[in-house]
Amino acid sequence: MIMSIGRFVVDPAQRTAFQSFAEQLAEHARRAPGCLMFGIYEAVNEPDHFIMLEQWVDQELLEEHILTEEFDRNEERLLGFVVGEPSWDDYEFEV
């Protein structure tokens, strides 16, 4: 399995729009083939600091998801809300 973790800060002026986008993004991503879990969480002690957690069956299905046009559109929209540089890490593990 693959766990992908993204970390980013959202522009406070765009917070409401981001929350609406994030709900739609999560709902859609959870239906993607191979997606086991998808969630976006805000840091309790740091407003506007978020992590995006994704769990995928395997690297192949994650890559198929990343290669879609919808992924490209969503990534562009997400980056429009982000202040600074986001970071992404992938982890592989066995259950």
Side-chain angles (χ1 to χ4, degrees):
M1 278 189 238
I2 301 294
M3 176 69 77
S4 183
I5 302 173
R7 295 168 185 84
F8 52 92
V9 178
V10 169
D11 178 356
Q14 297 190 64
R15 180 186 180 80
T16 302
F18 169 73
Q19 289 173 317
S20 177
F21 165 74
E23 288 174 15
Q24 295 170 4
L25 177 65
E27 183 179 311
H28 182 269
R30 290 177 186 134
R31 291 189 298 237
C35 181
L36 300 173
M37 189 272 297
F38 185 99
I40 299 174
Y41 305 90
E42 185 172 15
V44 174
N45 296 321
E46 287 188 275
D48 306 315
H49 287 70
F50 291 85
I51 62 169
M52 181 182 296
L53 299 177
E54 303 177 50
Q55 187 176 8
W56 294 83
V57 170
D58 58 30
Q59 186 68 36
E60 183 179 332
L61 289 170
L62 173 58
E63 288 176 9
E64 285 178 21
H65 172 69
I66 290 171
L67 293 174
T68 64
E69 288 180 20
E70 183 166 8
F71 178 88
D72 289 341
R73 284 191 303 272
N74 286 331
E75 182 177 43
E76 187 175 331
R77 275 192 74 196
L78 173 64
L79 293 176
F81 295 111
V82 172
V83 176
E85 283 294 316
S87 66
W88 299 95
D89 296 299
D90 291 335
Y91 299 86
E92 185 172 18
F93 61 96
E94 298 292 323
V95 176

